[in-house]
Amino acid sequence: MGALLQAAALQLRNFTPQGLANMTWALATLGHVNAVFMGVLVQVARPQLRNFTPQNLTNTLWALATLGHVDAVFVHELVQAATPQLCNFTPHHLANMAWALATLDEQNAACVGALIEHAAASTVDFTMPELRQLFQFVLWLKTWLVAMPVLPWLLAACKQTWLQKAGSTTVSHTQLQVLDAIRQLPGCSGASSEHLTDNGLFSINIAVQLPGRKKLAVEVDGPTHFLSTAPTMRNDATRLHNRLLEARGWRVVSVPVIDWRVQVAKGGLALREYLNGLGVCG
């Protein structure tokens, strides 16, 4: 992959908008993080944004969100370029755009208002995964200081689809190990597994009620929660999930499975020290 990107970097200035968008999409699909290459690609793409099609724009935004590539100025420029074209977006493009805005936390009122308007006109055409994307977008909107109007029937359609999946969870052996270790900590005997939040929208791996009405969400994160070529970098879905929990008053603590296994090999005292170091029950 390194040799391929080196060769591509030398030719990026000859890439069309489609080629640039395809390159970012491919890197995101592979979960391949290369900040230097992406920095060069962004500089090449910037003057070409006026020629990006709706698909080019949404693929690029989706890729940036998926890779966690932080370039607030470029994201804003992409959104500015996309807003006048929203009337030409397919439902798939609209859903990807909405999800990317939420994941990147790009609070652009003009774009969001127009996106909601066009999404409301396309509700019957969204697939179930796209409705779940839109519901995450709606939940993100509620974290804004300024409320954005969402048509009730659009919200209902998205919420119904989200709830169908919210309760379908599996509990891993590692999660049970972490739960048992947490329950042995002072004041944490009431820790619960796969706890549904009050509104029933999120299932938390391990929930702990701390003194002072503080709420702790312990998420046991396996390999699928991280990017494939950056195993310490959480992926898009995990970052957005955690942000939405935090917006609802939960302090989120991540226990990577690979780290937990290292501590298990060291013995019981190491597990306790590890959890205390993460601030569990502290």
Side-chain angles (χ1 to χ4, degrees):
M1 178 64 76
L4 183 61
L5 290 184
Q6 284 182 356
L10 296 174
Q11 300 187 51
L12 277 178
R13 298 195 181 281
N14 299 319
F15 277 38
T16 64
Q18 181 73 51
L20 293 168
N22 285 353
M23 177 62 77
T24 57
W25 176 86
L27 290 174
T29 301
L30 293 170
H32 188 87
V33 177
N34 188 312
V36 174
F37 180 84
M38 283 299 299
V40 175
L41 189 150
V42 165
Q43 292 307 313
V44 174
R46 179 170 276 123
Q48 298 193 52
L49 288 181
R50 64 183 179 277
N51 298 320
F52 273 48
T53 66
Q55 184 177 24
N56 299 157
L57 291 163
T58 52
N59 280 357
T60 303
L61 277 167
W62 176 85
L64 293 176
T66 299
L67 292 171
H69 185 78
V70 180
D71 188 327
V73 174
F74 184 59
V75 168
H76 181 72
E77 290 170 349
L78 274 168
V79 171
Q80 291 288 93
T83 302
Q85 297 195 53
L86 286 174
C87 57
N88 299 319
F89 277 35
T90 66
H92 178 68
H93 294 149
L94 290 170
N96 274 352
M97 178 83 176
W99 175 88
L101 289 174
T103 303
L104 293 165
D105 199 25
E106 172 63 19
Q107 300 185 15
N108 186 305
C111 179
V112 166
L115 195 153
I116 291 172
E117 178 183 349
H118 292 295
S122 306
T123 303
V124 296
D125 299 317
F126 288 113
T127 65
M128 291 184 68
E130 289 164 358
L131 285 172
R132 286 193 286 270
Q133 283 183 309
L134 285 172
F135 191 63
Q136 289 177 296
F137 167 73
V138 170
L139 293 177
W140 168 71
L141 286 182
K142 292 184 177 181
T143 68
W144 285 29
L145 296 178
V146 179
M148 297 294 293
V150 180
L151 293 178
W153 52 270
L154 172 61
L155 176 59
C158 296
K159 184 175 182 179
Q160 181 181 8
T161 306
W162 177 267
L163 288 174
Q164 289 175 4
K165 191 176 181 181
S168 57
T169 58
T170 56
V171 179
S172 68
H173 175 67
T174 303
Q175 184 175 327
L176 292 175
Q177 282 186 324
V178 176
L179 175 64
D180 181 63
I182 289 176
R183 283 176 172 171
Q184 295 180 43
L185 295 174
C188 295
S189 60
S192 59
S193 177
E194 292 307 328
H195 172 85
L196 281 177
T197 55
D198 292 341
N199 53 15
L201 298 179
F202 295 94
S203 181
I204 296 170
N205 284 174
I206 301 170
V208 186
Q209 186 71 52
L210 300 175
R213 301 181 63 83
K214 296 178 181 178
K215 300 182 294 184
L216 179 71
V218 180
E219 296 292 324
V220 182
D221 294 335
T224 58
H225 290 267
F226 300 89
L227 294 174
S228 59
T229 59
T232 62
M233 186 175 178
R234 286 165 187 82
N235 63 22
D236 49 283
T238 302
R239 294 195 308 273
L240 182 56
H241 172 84
N242 291 352
R243 184 187 301 139
L244 293 175
L245 281 179
E246 289 167 352
R248 283 152 184 77
W250 290 87
R251 181 166 69 86
V252 181
V253 171
S254 172
V255 177
V257 169
I258 190 170
D259 291 353
W260 182 257
R261 288 173 179 168
V262 170
Q263 301 306 319
V264 167
K266 294 179 181 178
L269 182 59
L271 295 178
R272 182 172 183 141
E273 291 176 348
Y274 174 73
L275 291 171
N276 285 334
L278 293 175
V280 177
C281 294

